[in-house]
Amino acid sequence: MVLKIVQAGDPVLRRKARDLTPEELASPETARLIEQMRDTMRDAPGVGLAAPQVGVGLRVIVIEDRAEYQAGLSERELAARGRKPVPFHVLINPRLVVEDAAPAEFHEGCLSVSGFAALVPRANAVRVDALDEHGQPVTVQARGWYARILQHELDHLDGTLYVDRMETRSFSTAENHRRYQAGRSTAELRAELGLPVPDRG
């Protein structure tokens, strides 16, 4: 079953989601929510979805970055983003730790800010400690695009949208992003927008 993805302005997207209790984690309702979130993410399609995006204020995310989602990108673009396929998985009550704070800046969109994109800086590598759908502890270490997806989805659990972190001058409709910006380097885009090149230290 595909759920409705709530859009920016819905209060649930600005509230901090709460942890699931052990009883909730083991419940049929949570198993059903995870299945529906998976189906909704794939239908959109997207590479991640957080429970608040379907109107549920719980700390649950699903992630999957399929190879076919990357088919339109060149080898150079994939390498620059550090993007590789990520199999479907569930993270419950996740906690994020930044392992490499060096910023990487690329365009992001969001299923809850439909039709737009912007440059967003994210930490290059993170670790997430969580529970899987069976209540077992898991630790995920990620770099590049996978780390970006994790940061984006965990932001949702804290009531944060990418627009809170974006380079505002880069904000664009998704159509104009595809028309004018796709395939170009971040440095080229920053120069065109009259933005300084960030100091990488």
Side-chain angles (χ1 to χ4, degrees):
M1 177 180 172
V2 174
L3 303 173
K4 179 182 178 182
I5 298 175
V6 301
Q7 294 298 305
D10 191 307
V12 72
L13 292 173
R14 291 308 196 172
R15 296 185 191 124
K16 187 176 178 70
R18 68 169 178 83
D19 281 348
L20 278 76
T21 66
E23 294 75 22
E24 287 173 322
L25 205 156
S27 71
E29 291 78 17
T30 295
R32 185 162 46 251
L33 173 65
I34 289 168
E35 182 178 324
Q36 292 171 338
M37 287 175 62
R38 181 199 64 204
D39 293 348
T40 302
M41 174 181 65
R42 289 175 175 173
D43 180 71
V47 296
L49 191 69
Q53 293 183 272
V54 293
V56 179
L58 295 174
R59 296 185 75 82
V60 180
I61 65 173
V62 295
I63 289 176
E64 182 180 48
D65 193 1
R66 294 179 164 192
E68 58 257 39
Y69 298 163
Q70 303 168 24
L73 296 172
S74 69
E75 289 297 322
R76 179 180 64 84
E77 290 172 309
L78 290 171
R81 288 162 173 74
R83 187 170 179 183
K84 299 174 184 175
V86 177
F88 176 80
H89 60 289
V90 180
L91 298 172
I92 296 172
N93 299 346
R95 298 291 183 266
L96 183 140
V97 176
V98 172
E99 295 199 320
D100 178 357
E105 189 176 46
F106 292 102
H107 273 86
E108 281 184 26
C110 179
L111 298 176
S112 290
V113 189
S114 183
F116 296 92
L119 286 171
V120 181
R122 298 282 187 186
N124 193 47
V126 299
R127 184 184 83 239
V128 175
D129 298 307
L131 302 173
D132 68 13
E133 63 268 43
H134 306 296
Q136 298 302 307
V138 292
T139 296
V140 173
Q141 290 182 291
R143 300 188 70 82
W145 205 259
Y146 185 16
R148 176 174 295 272
I149 296 169
L150 288 167
Q151 290 169 83
H152 180 113
E153 298 308 329
L154 266 77
D155 266 357
H156 276 302
L157 303 183
D158 292 328
T160 299
L161 299 175
Y162 83 85
V163 295
D164 302 321
R165 301 185 184 278
M166 72 180 178
E167 177 58 70
T168 55
R169 284 182 63 85
S170 71
F171 190 61
S172 167
T173 65
E175 180 183 345
N176 280 340
H177 167 65
R178 286 188 294 271
R179 182 180 299 166
Y180 301 115
Q181 300 168 342
R184 301 175 65 192
S185 73
T186 300
E188 289 172 328
L189 293 174
R190 291 189 73 87
E192 183 172 285
L193 293 168
L195 298 168
V197 176
D199 181 9
R200 302 300 186 201

